[in-house]
Amino acid sequence: MVLDNLGQSLKNALKKIAGLGFVDKRAIEELVKEIQKALIQSDVHVALVLQLTQNIKKRAFDEKVPSGLTQKEYLIKIVYEELVAFLGKEKRELTIEGKPGKILLVGLFGSGKTTTAAKLASYYKTRGKKVALLALDVHRLAAVDQLEQLGKKIDVPVFSDRTLKNPVQIYRKFISQLEKYDLVLIDTAGRDALSLDLITEIENLNKEIKPQERLLVISGDIGQAAQKQAEQFHKSIQVTGVIVTKMDGTAKGGGALVACAVSGAPIVFLGVGETIRDLESFSPTGFVGRLLGMGDLEQLLEKAETIDKEKAEDLGKKLLKGDFNLLDLYEQMNYLRNMGPLNKLMEMIPGMGSLPIPKDMLEGQEDKIKKWKFILQSMTKKELENPEIITGSRVERIAKGSGTSVHEVRELLKQYNQMKKMMKMMKGKDPSSFLKKFKGKLPF
Ligand code: GDP
Ligand code: MG
């Protein structure tokens, strides 16, 4: 795992919190200090560290702990979420379209462009793409040899011409041959710094090749210095993504990642070693999850956010069909209780948020659900399946049997009817969009 030290320090800090009986202001301050220390040791820029820890503190002090979570758990969740936001939040998938899709790799000398071109070629080849490599580093002939060797290793053709000195001409020469491929990875020349010379060369290539992706390759071992580099490249040639290499064996990788994330171009892959397979697709959630040692954290986040997928789907299907009897209501109530407030669930259903849901159906539901359970338990199976038959004397019998009043039984029936009506209104809504909402995570 890359960034072992950073991960270990963060884990220790969170473990301390988890071990506390009670989280007070001092504990939060302490946690924040340890996070600061860990990040600074990983070469994250101090100003950025302060920004992050201020966000954590503000949320920890101001936000109300959601039901179903302890204060400790919520604090850990905040740390996780803020770290994820720090690294860019959303995962960005590369666009590979057209015949061929084209990815231009740019960066300084030694940042890992040539190696990464081959890694990406192998990555997409194993994912079923027909891939080619194009050698446009005309400044170092050894780069062409290097790419050819790598291409041979992964059995991917390398297009090159050692006689031409202009990379645009080399590209033109192979245009029609490259049309046979799904994806071409284009290795370019670097410089010691982002010089005008390099910018011009990349701009010319960009104009000619029109790649879907311009990926900046940056070495992670330069730590926070990556920010300036990423910003400069981004400003000059609008990179569409960053690949941070050499994340293995550098203590400064954290600084490089954060630096790239704030530069405005999303990180898309990490290079984590010298061999072809040492490439990791990057997602902020996945990365932070591993950094903090998912396992435990995952369970916590799951507890906070996920619901039983199958059950949610069943409910979704029933709601959609509009056939929903008291037996279902009873079943659903049992697990709705574990899911969080009913109004949250309702908000997830398209069109439901704007429906006139009876207020008292949502308020004080905990107590009511308890009573409803008794009422439902006092009904016969026939009554549960066909609530329409419950009239007069049946209502009285059920009230007696459940230790509730006739009024309460009627109220349950009334609310059930209202709910059923709402479900009917939803009939015909696109089930996939509806079910999709349930499949993933719910925000409580
Ligand atoms: P280029 O000048 O940008 O094309 O850089 P190269 O691809 O030639 O890489 C420069 C050196 O860095 C080579 O020795 C690579 O093996 C090494 N390298 C590239 N990526 C990684 C990585 O992710 N981890 C490690 N440890 N070394 C890497
Ligand atoms: Mg190279």
Side-chain angles (χ1 to χ4, degrees):
M1 165 80 201
V2 299
L3 301 187
D4 273 337
N5 290 337
L6 176 61
Q8 206 50 54
S9 312
L10 291 173
K11 266 183 270 190
N12 287 343
L14 290 179
K15 231 183 250 160
K16 257 189 225 164
I17 285 288
L20 289 179
F22 181 74
V23 176
D24 55 7
K25 204 167 168 223
R26 234 193 60 209
I28 294 174
E29 299 275 6
E30 185 100 352
L31 171 71
V32 160
K33 259 195 211 124
E34 292 196 27
I35 293 174
Q36 286 175 342
K37 208 168 99 193
L39 291 172
I40 287 169
Q41 272 172 359
S42 191
D43 203 41
V44 180
H45 193 287
V46 176
L48 296 173
V49 172
L50 287 179
Q51 191 190 318
L52 170 86
T53 50
Q54 255 158 23
N55 290 351
I56 293 175
K57 247 164 59 177
K58 189 163 181 337
R59 288 188 60 189
F61 288 146
D62 295 354
E63 286 180 11
K64 213 175 128 227
V65 179
S67 63
L69 281 190
T70 66
Q71 202 192 358
K72 277 190 290 195
E73 288 167 336
Y74 193 51
L75 182 57
I76 294 170
K77 188 167 183 283
I78 289 174
V79 171
Y80 165 81
E81 286 173 352
E82 290 302 318
L83 282 169
V84 168
F86 211 30
L87 287 179
K89 230 172 194 170
E90 302 276 309
K91 175 173 168 54
R92 182 169 179 271
E93 297 285 354
L94 294 187
T95 314
I96 299 166
E97 48 187 35
K99 204 72 181 166
K102 289 167 278 193
I103 297 179
L104 190 69
L105 295 162
V106 301
L108 301 184
F109 269 150
S111 59
K113 290 178 297 301
T114 306
T115 314
T116 305
K119 285 180 182 177
L120 283 171
S122 166
Y123 180 91
Y124 285 108
K125 188 183 168 197
T126 55
R127 280 160 183 76
K129 301 271 179 217
K130 198 170 170 214
V131 186
L133 285 157
L134 178 60
L136 297 190
D137 186 347
V138 290
H139 295 266
R140 276 184 16 192
L141 285 182
V144 181
D145 301 337
Q146 186 190 355
L147 197 64
E148 281 176 349
Q149 275 165 19
L150 289 166
K152 206 177 266 168
K153 218 188 238 171
I154 57 176
D155 198 19
V156 166
V158 177
F159 292 86
S160 65
D161 186 328
R162 287 176 175 75
T163 61
L164 294 173
K165 286 293 160 232
N166 180 345
V168 170
Q169 279 175 358
I170 304 177
Y171 170 69
R172 282 191 189 142
K173 177 176 170 180
F174 295 117
I175 287 180
S176 63
Q177 291 183 59
L178 291 173
E179 275 165 10
K180 290 192 215 95
Y181 295 87
D182 300 321
L183 176 65
V184 183
L185 293 143
I186 303 157
D187 185 29
T188 64
R191 302 288 190 281
D192 287 328
L194 185 67
S195 56
L196 193 60
D197 173 37
L198 179 57
I199 294 174
T200 313
E201 182 173 320
I202 296 170
E203 275 176 355
N204 287 341
L205 282 173
N206 191 37
K207 246 186 258 155
E208 181 72 24
I209 299 175
K210 296 186 190 65
Q212 286 86 17
E213 301 282 353
R214 289 174 298 280
L215 301 184
L216 171 64
V217 181
I218 276 194
S219 174
D221 58 13
I222 62 172
Q224 55 178 270
Q227 187 170 345
K228 206 168 148 215
Q229 215 184 98
E231 277 171 356
Q232 280 179 340
F233 269 93
H234 197 34
K235 225 164 83 197
S236 308
I237 56 145
Q238 284 83 51
V239 300
T240 56
V242 181
I243 299 180
V244 187
T245 62
K246 307 184 198 176
M247 285 296 292
D248 51 308
T250 168
K252 291 184 171 185
L257 288 188
V258 175
C260 291
V262 299
S263 80
I267 301 166
V268 287
F269 281 96
L270 300 182
V272 296
E274 291 192 77
T275 74
I276 291 288
R277 296 165 113 233
D278 294 326
L279 183 76
E280 286 179 4
S281 148
F282 181 82
S283 92
T285 47
F287 188 79
V288 174
R290 277 197 303 163
L291 196 62
L292 300 183
M294 237 14 186
D296 301 340
L297 187 68
E298 199 161 51
Q299 275 173 13
L300 162 71
L301 294 170
E302 248 168 37
K303 182 175 160 199
E305 292 180 354
T306 61
I307 58 160
D308 187 319
K309 192 174 132 189
E310 266 173 41
K311 278 189 177 158
E313 279 187 0
D314 283 351
L315 173 63
K317 276 182 202 144
K318 279 212 164 113
L319 295 183
L320 276 171
K321 280 206 306 209
D323 61 350
F324 183 76
N325 61 30
L326 280 174
L327 210 55
D328 297 317
L329 181 68
Y330 180 68
E331 248 177 48
Q332 300 310 336
M333 264 169 36
N334 279 331
Y335 101 97
L336 274 178
R337 276 167 61 91
N338 300 325
M339 259 174 72
L342 191 56
N343 54 352
K344 285 278 193 212
L345 174 70
M346 291 302 180
E347 281 167 18
M348 301 297 295
I349 305 175
M352 216 60 159
S354 55
L355 285 175
I357 298 171
K359 239 191 168 164
D360 52 353
M361 189 171 133
L362 302 178
E363 277 168 11
Q365 48 153 329
E366 278 296 297
D367 287 345
K368 202 167 281 174
I369 281 183
K370 249 182 244 158
K371 262 195 190 155
W372 280 16
K373 260 181 118 166
F374 292 134
I375 296 175
L376 293 170
Q377 277 165 351
S378 301
M379 292 181 183
T380 63
K381 190 158 179 279
K382 219 166 158 192
E383 287 166 342
L384 288 168
E385 285 170 352
N386 309 289
E388 303 73 36
I389 64 170
I390 307 173
T391 51
S393 62
R394 284 182 191 255
V395 174
E396 273 171 46
R397 192 208 78 234
I398 293 166
K400 233 184 235 154
S402 59
T404 60
S405 68
V406 166
H407 171 73
E408 282 166 323
V409 177
R410 290 229 160 91
E411 197 192 32
L412 179 143
L413 290 171
K414 195 176 124 204
Q415 298 205 342
Y416 157 73
N417 280 323
Q418 280 175 316
M419 201 157 164
K420 195 170 159 121
K421 233 192 258 166
M422 288 192 295
M423 304 314 170
K424 281 222 173 101
M425 286 171 68
M426 291 183 31
K427 245 173 129 171
K429 289 250 156 78
D430 172 19
S432 65
S433 76
F434 172 28
L435 288 176
K436 230 188 277 159
K437 303 251 173 186
F438 281 94
K439 267 188 198 160
K441 300 180 171 186
L442 294 183
F444 46 82

